[in-house]
């Protein structure tokens, strides 16, 4: 068996006296979609922030064999671990096209950047139709597509997504889910997805963890989560 691409071991994060993450461990294999579900304030964002190097932590996080504590956040990005935050962080007055190009700003492989632009426009035809539109005038769903598209322009090996479906209409949620599965199948992308929308995560993830109040309550495969009575009752609303 090959080593996991991303491995989190005994991760603890404190905000002052508040113990936000209490010994989280999980490992993500190359090419899989991994879902982290849990209620408001459970610690999902904190976990992604720790992996991205945005918050201090105890414990270890290895990415492709490298201990991320030894690497600066910019280098983590250059090494292909790309984080699409819940806030999306778009450049509001830049066009769709310009925002996408910003995602490629550290790349030197110009031909591949051009190919990736076309790939993103193929993946999200709504962006293609709006190449010159300012990001701030796009709908929430279109902005989410743009945020994912811009992350893809960084040529990720692992894409971390925080709540990509938050506030979006069902038809757009479907588009985002289809895009993630296409990226997994065709580009071999590894995806770490934090979601309050458990149904979305359960639909698309190969394996999942459930976090409650900073602790992992359950980890397992897609099928194990589907069949788990507690998950079904508390998180999917199926009795
Ligand atoms: P949501 O789905 O609502 O975004 P979450 O699972 O992503 O929730 P976090 O945002 O990681 O949860 O928050 C975990 C806990 O840490 C919460 O109790 C939150 O209030 C607290 N917290 C998060 N960021 C900070 C901060 N910068 N300072 C102090 N406490 C924080």
């Amino acid at each position: 068996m090959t080593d996991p691409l991303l491995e989190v071991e005994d991760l603890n994060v404190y905000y002052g006296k508040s113990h936000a993450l209490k010994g989280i461990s999980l490992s993500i294999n190359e090419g899989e979609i991994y879902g982290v579900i849990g209620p408001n304030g459970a610690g999902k964002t904190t976990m992604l922030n720790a992996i991205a190097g945005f918050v201090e932590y105890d414990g270890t996080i290895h990415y492709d064999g490298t201990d991320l504590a030894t690497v600066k956040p910019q280098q983590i990005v250059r090494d292909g671990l790309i984080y699409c935050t819940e806030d999306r962080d778009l450049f509001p007055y830049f066009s769709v096209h310009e925002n996408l190009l910003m995602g490629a700003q550290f790349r030197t492989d110009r031909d591949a950047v051009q190919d990736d632009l076309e790939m993103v426009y193929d993946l999200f035809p709504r962006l293609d139709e709006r190449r010159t539109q300012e990001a701030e005038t796009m709908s929430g769903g279109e902005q989410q597509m743009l945020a994912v598209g811009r992350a893809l322009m960084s040529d990720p090996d692992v894409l971390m997504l925080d709540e990509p479906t938050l506030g979006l209409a069902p038809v757009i949620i479907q588009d985002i889910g289809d895009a993630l599965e296409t990226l997994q199948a065709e580009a071999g992308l590894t995806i770490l997805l934090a979601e309050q929308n458990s149904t979305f995560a359960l639909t698309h993830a190969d394996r999942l963890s459930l976090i409650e109040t900073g602790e992992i309550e359950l980890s397992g495969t897609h099928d194990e989560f589907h069949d788990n009575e507690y998950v079904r009752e508390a998180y999917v609303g199926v009795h």
Side-chain angles (χ1 to χ4, degrees):
M1 229 182 111
T2 52
D3 289 337
L5 188 53
L6 186 62
E7 190 160 32
V8 173
E9 283 174 287
D10 198 19
L11 182 65
N12 286 273
V13 173
Y14 297 85
Y15 295 115
K17 287 191 178 137
S18 155
H19 195 177
L21 287 185
K22 303 167 189 160
I24 299 263
S25 297
L26 50 84
S27 57
I28 298 165
N29 299 317
E30 189 172 354
E32 78 179 341
I33 300 181
Y34 199 103
V36 175
I37 62 171
N40 256 318
K44 304 180 296 296
T45 302
T46 299
M47 188 190 83
L48 297 186
N49 283 345
I51 296 171
F54 295 170
V55 295
E56 286 187 16
Y57 59 85
D58 293 332
T60 54
I61 306 173
H62 282 95
Y63 168 56
D64 203 11
T66 301
D67 180 350
L68 290 186
T70 65
V71 179
K72 292 209 162 65
Q74 300 92 311
Q75 189 59 43
I76 296 176
V77 170
R78 284 170 210 219
D79 289 344
L81 181 58
I82 308 296
Y83 182 17
C84 210
T85 65
E86 191 176 341
D87 299 335
R88 298 177 189 141
D89 298 325
L90 297 172
F91 297 93
Y93 305 119
F94 283 17
S95 69
V96 165
H97 198 75
E98 288 163 341
N99 267 281
L100 291 178
L101 290 177
M102 290 304 286
Q105 61 181 316
F106 296 125
R107 293 175 62 180
T108 52
D109 49 344
R110 289 289 130 200
D111 290 347
V113 167
Q114 205 50 44
D115 291 345
D116 285 349
L117 263 175
E118 293 315 315
M119 179 270 291
V120 169
Y121 284 135
D122 278 350
L123 194 64
F124 296 118
R126 276 163 182 266
L127 298 184
D128 195 9
E129 292 158 12
R130 292 171 170 74
R131 287 184 188 218
T132 58
Q133 190 172 327
E134 277 185 7
E136 73 157 0
T137 65
M138 311 262 286
S139 73
E142 289 160 1
Q143 289 191 21
Q144 186 60 54
M145 291 175 190
L146 183 53
V148 173
R150 193 184 57 180
L152 293 173
M153 291 305 299
S154 309
D155 192 22
D157 295 315
V158 177
L159 182 59
M160 298 199 295
L161 298 170
D162 194 8
E163 309 267 6
T165 72
L166 193 70
L168 305 187
V171 61
I172 305 287
I173 291 177
Q174 172 105 38
D175 286 349
I176 303 259
D178 289 347
L180 298 186
E181 292 205 6
T182 301
L183 290 164
Q184 179 191 34
E186 293 181 9
L189 193 65
T190 306
I191 297 169
L192 172 54
L193 180 69
E195 262 297 351
Q196 260 189 70
N197 180 343
S198 312
T199 305
F200 180 79
L202 272 162
T203 303
H204 299 289
D206 302 303
R207 291 192 301 135
L208 300 105
S209 289
L210 166 63
I211 300 188
E212 289 177 347
T213 57
E215 289 180 271
I216 291 193
E217 293 299 327
L218 179 73
S219 290
T221 64
H222 168 273
D223 288 350
E224 285 164 349
F225 263 65
H226 254 276
D227 295 343
N228 185 285
E229 203 148 320
Y230 177 63
V231 170
R232 288 164 69 88
E233 285 186 13
Y235 289 97
V236 194
V238 180
H239 301 273

